[in-house]
Amino acid sequence: MKLTNLQMTQSILSSLGADEVNSVSDSPESLQVLEIIRQSYFNIIDKLDLPETWQLVQLQPSLDIDAPVLMYVPSGVAKIDWIKYFNTNVFSDSTGGGHDINVDIISDPDVGTMTTPGYEYVTILPIRQFIDMTNGFNPSETDVFSFTLNNKYTFYYKSGKQPQYCTILSNNYVIFDSFDSSQDSTLQASKSMAFGQIKPTWSNTDEFIPDLNDEQFPLLLNEAKSLAFFELKQTPHPLAEREIKRGRSAVQRDKAVHESPSYFDALPNFGRRGIGARAPVSLFKSLGWDR
């Protein structure tokens, strides 16, 4: 069952033997308990890596024709796991016309080599590796251009192909190696797709309900209760601490509605292979989904 700030504060104050309150701001002690609940909530988010904090997001575009390969990390996103960009150019040689994302395109074998529009992975490179790669672009080529970031740093990019690589600077700038000028004048938010961890929000109001599943609230309540006893009474709460251990195990086991693949299978395979042996590779790993 989900609990509000007021309900959790009242429960912890009752365990502490403190006076009852009708609002989280009624007493200095209730405000201390509320702050402990907040700390416990963010600790759970950080430690358990809950699936509900990971969502599909779109990058923010610069819409700057002088910096067409520049995009931004959306506000409220703490981490980005992967990025894809929608390729609308159905011609493999990038000479075809543009199409909207939702247009159904039927391939005609007589027209030439065509591909199906769709999202394609953009590999996120470390900053140094990305700069070394783009510095290898030849500015004398007709499809190589440059832009200056913050009036200081020059980045080269290509204008005639789907983006394949990018890097993230200062947890804010997403710089790509290229864009297809036959499709758009800049990279578009509507064509971007990223899998990111959303920063949790918090409010000190009575009615605020932390963004957790029903099954995770006992863990939050016991974490906060144990910390409250330690900070406000300088004594441990053995029962709450035992429940914390049980709750963490249960949350780790059941935090995903459907594990595909399981958390164990998603781990990299570091086992040795026999000499000359070819160990079978799972479809999951062969498609790069374990990245």
Side-chain angles (χ1 to χ4, degrees):
M1 182 179 69
K2 295 183 182 292
L3 300 172
T4 65
N5 278 346
L6 179 58
Q7 289 173 320
M8 288 186 287
T9 300
Q10 289 173 331
S11 176
I12 294 172
L13 287 174
S14 176
S15 297
L16 290 169
D19 295 335
E20 294 184 3
V21 297
N22 295 316
S23 173
V24 294
S25 59
D26 276 357
S27 69
E29 197 169 30
S30 64
L31 289 173
Q32 286 179 295
V33 170
L34 179 63
E35 175 59 21
I36 288 172
I37 295 172
R38 189 190 71 83
Q39 293 176 15
S40 300
Y41 171 60
F42 283 102
N43 285 339
I44 289 174
I45 296 295
D46 291 338
K47 290 178 182 178
L48 298 183
D49 192 23
L50 299 174
E52 52 264 36
T53 64
W54 290 89
Q55 300 176 18
L56 292 176
V57 297
Q58 290 183 332
L59 302 179
Q60 292 181 349
S62 67
L63 300 180
D64 182 356
I65 59 174
D66 294 324
V69 293
L70 177 63
M71 301 188 82
Y72 300 96
V73 176
S75 60
V77 174
K79 297 177 184 178
I80 289 181
D81 188 33
W82 51 257
I83 294 174
K84 288 187 174 187
Y85 195 80
F86 200 95
N87 187 357
T88 53
N89 193 339
V90 297
F91 292 91
S92 60
D93 59 0
S94 300
T95 59
H99 296 275
D100 292 334
I101 291 180
N102 293 324
V103 172
D104 293 328
I105 300 175
I106 302 175
S107 298
D108 183 353
D110 296 329
V111 174
T113 304
M114 302 181 72
T115 59
T116 303
Y119 285 101
E120 297 179 359
Y121 274 110
V122 179
T123 302
I124 304 175
L125 296 178
I127 297 171
R128 179 177 178 180
Q129 185 176 347
F130 179 83
I131 292 175
D132 288 345
M133 182 193 69
T134 54
N135 279 348
F137 293 166
N138 186 353
S140 64
E141 295 180 357
T142 57
D143 66 335
V144 175
F145 297 86
S146 66
F147 77 95
T148 302
L149 181 67
N150 296 333
N151 296 318
K152 293 182 180 179
Y153 309 107
T154 299
F155 288 87
Y156 292 103
Y157 64 90
K158 293 188 176 183
S159 65
K161 67 185 186 71
Q162 169 83 359
Q164 291 179 285
Y165 301 97
C166 70
T167 193
I168 300 175
L169 290 172
S170 305
N171 292 332
N172 181 37
Y173 306 105
V174 186
I175 303 174
F176 293 81
D177 67 323
S178 59
F179 83 108
D180 192 342
S181 59
S182 70
Q183 306 298 302
D184 301 293
S185 58
T186 67
L187 293 176
Q188 303 293 306
S190 60
K191 293 184 178 181
S192 69
M193 178 193 292
F195 192 55
Q197 187 178 42
I198 308 301
K199 297 176 183 177
T201 58
W202 180 266
S203 173
N204 284 333
T205 59
D206 292 343
E207 299 81 12
F208 176 74
I209 299 176
D211 187 15
L212 295 172
N213 292 334
D214 291 8
E215 298 79 8
Q216 295 159 356
F217 273 86
L219 175 60
L220 173 59
L221 186 59
N222 283 307
E223 290 261 14
K225 188 178 295 184
S226 176
L227 186 57
F229 266 76
F230 180 78
E231 290 193 359
L232 302 182
K233 298 188 71 172
Q234 287 75 52
T235 59
H237 193 302
L239 178 59
E241 291 175 1
R242 286 199 300 270
E243 290 299 320
I244 288 170
K245 293 179 181 179
R246 294 174 56 187
R248 286 179 180 173
S249 298
V251 168
Q252 286 286 16
R253 183 185 65 244
D254 304 326
K255 63 182 181 180
V257 174
H258 176 62
E259 297 179 15
S260 52
S262 69
Y263 293 106
F264 177 79
D265 291 337
L267 294 173
N269 182 8
F270 294 109
R272 294 182 60 185
R273 297 183 182 180
I275 297 176
R278 287 184 175 271
V281 179
S282 68
L283 176 63
F284 173 76
K285 294 184 184 297
S286 67
L287 294 176
W289 293 342
D290 58 335
R291 293 183 295 178

